[in-house]
């Protein structure tokens, strides 16, 4: 049987779409998950991959945290960059709540997180974690957008790191087939259908997306979250697009 992996795209607050897709995998994709070798992701995608690997029972908790986090950012006068607002602290508190004590052990060699070296600009994929705290550090590094999330990059193993989405926003693992999930319409396995006539693509650090008004709006919403009602719509869209994929591939249960 072909080795199967799942990869989740860097997408900021549109990670709620990918949590919706995970809901469909957990409910209808038992056959796929039974064959799953590993998960990968960058930025918000790394957070979603971590939930699937280490805390699938906390999926609804993750969604509620995402809505709360989005509300918190939206309520700031200047969003995440409002002076005095600590974006990374709020994210860390959410991770501390959600991840189980043995998350780093569950994640070993099954979770691949994309991060970017702050000085060289080179990508690194991390799949081994000496402790739960190390796993949290790598997740924070993969989600750290300079200025937006703060001024000081995240330190891990004596080096400083920033958002993995800058250098590899949708990691493809070397062995087997990597099923890709993205809230932006494009050639990914699970993504919103493209409704326009154009066929131009943008390449965002190894992720191709359609050049469309809808995608440009979504790119903006990744950093500047929309209303909770709109985010709940993204959740449902992710679920429905994943169900469509499972049916297409013959994995629906």
């Amino acid at each position: 049987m072909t080795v199967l992996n799942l990869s989740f795209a860097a997408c900021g607050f549109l990670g709620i779409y990918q949590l919706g897709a995970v809901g469909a995998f957990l409910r209808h994709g038992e056959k796929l998950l039974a064959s799953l070798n590993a998960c990968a992701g960058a930025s918000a995608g790394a957070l979603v991959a971590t939930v699937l690997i280490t805390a699938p029972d906390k999926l609804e908790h993750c969604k509620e945290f995402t809505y709360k986090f989005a509300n918190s950012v939206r309520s700031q006068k200047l969003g995440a960059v409002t002076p005095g607002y600590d974006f990374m602290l709020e994210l860390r508190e959410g991770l501390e709540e959600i991840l189980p004590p043995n998350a780093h052990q569950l994640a070993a060699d099954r979770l691949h997180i994309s991060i970017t070296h702050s000085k060289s600009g080179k990508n690194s994929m991390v799949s081994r974690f000496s402790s739960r705290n190390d796993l949290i550090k790598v997740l924070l590094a993969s989600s750290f957008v300079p200025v937006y999330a703060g001024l000081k990059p995240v330190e891990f193993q004596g080096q400083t790191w920033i958002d993995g989405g800058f250098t590899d926003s949708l990691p493809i693992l070397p062995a087997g087939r990597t099923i890709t999930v993205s809230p932006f319409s494009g050639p990914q396995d699970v993504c919103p259908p493209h409704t326009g006539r154009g066929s131009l693509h943008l390449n965002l650090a190894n992720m191709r997306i359609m050049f469309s008004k809808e995608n440009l709006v979504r790119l903006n919403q990744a950093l500047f979250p929309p209303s909770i009602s709109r985010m709940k719509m993204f959740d449902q869209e992710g679920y429905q697009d994943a169900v469509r994929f499972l049916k297409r591939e013959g994995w629906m249960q």
Side-chain angles (χ1 to χ4, degrees):
M1 183 177 289
T2 303
V3 172
L4 292 178
N5 308 296
L6 276 170
S7 183
F8 298 91
C11 60
F13 282 100
L14 296 196
I16 192 64
Y17 172 96
Q18 300 187 122
L19 289 173
V22 166
F25 292 146
L26 291 172
R27 185 168 183 179
H28 301 294
E30 184 179 343
K31 193 190 305 184
L32 184 156
L33 295 179
S35 303
L36 189 64
N37 175 60
C39 284
S43 198
L47 303 175
V48 174
T50 303
V51 170
L52 180 55
I53 291 292
T54 72
D57 59 313
K58 294 284 189 73
L59 178 62
E60 292 307 314
H61 185 145
C62 292
K63 290 181 183 181
E64 290 307 313
F65 167 72
T66 304
Y67 298 139
K68 179 183 172 186
F69 195 8
N71 259 341
S72 180
V73 169
R74 200 166 41 247
S75 69
Q76 305 300 315
K77 188 174 182 180
L78 300 174
V81 298
T82 302
Y85 178 68
D86 197 333
F87 180 93
M88 296 301 283
L89 177 61
E90 192 150 352
L91 178 55
R92 181 175 193 116
E93 288 176 347
L95 291 171
E96 292 282 4
E97 281 184 19
I98 292 164
L99 299 185
N102 64 337
H104 59 294
Q105 296 166 329
L106 295 170
D109 297 321
R110 296 201 68 217
L111 176 65
H112 300 257
I113 301 174
S114 171
I115 56 178
T116 303
H117 194 267
S118 66
K119 294 180 180 177
S120 70
K122 291 184 178 179
N123 182 265
S124 183
M125 295 292 295
V126 183
S127 58
R128 294 228 169 163
F129 316 91
S130 61
S131 65
R132 180 177 180 271
N133 189 53
D134 263 8
L135 171 58
I136 289 174
K137 280 185 181 179
V138 176
L139 289 169
L140 291 174
S142 188
S143 302
F144 182 82
V145 178
V147 180
Y148 178 86
L151 299 176
K152 189 178 179 181
V154 178
E155 186 173 330
F156 171 66
Q157 294 185 339
Q159 303 287 325
T160 54
W161 305 87
I162 60 175
D163 199 304
F166 288 125
T167 48
D168 191 350
S169 62
L170 188 60
I172 302 298
L173 297 178
R177 176 187 178 186
T178 298
I179 297 164
T180 52
V181 184
S182 169
F184 307 108
S185 60
Q188 282 69 48
D189 295 297
V190 179
C191 68
H194 176 56
T195 56
R197 295 183 177 181
S199 58
L200 291 176
H201 285 81
L202 296 174
N203 192 318
L204 304 178
N206 298 334
M207 174 173 60
R208 292 175 66 221
I209 71 170
M210 298 299 299
F211 182 71
S212 67
K213 179 183 177 182
E214 291 80 2
N215 274 345
L216 293 176
V217 169
R218 291 183 188 120
L219 285 168
N220 180 69
Q221 291 171 327
L223 294 180
F224 303 97
S227 66
I228 296 304
S229 61
R230 184 70 185 101
M231 290 187 70
K232 288 184 176 182
M233 288 175 64
F234 279 126
D235 172 18
Q236 283 301 306
E237 286 173 14
Y239 185 95
Q240 292 162 4
D241 291 340
V243 164
R244 185 168 58 251
F245 167 77
L246 290 170
K247 288 179 178 177
R248 186 171 70 239
E249 297 279 338
W251 281 325
M252 185 73 180
Q253 287 182 286

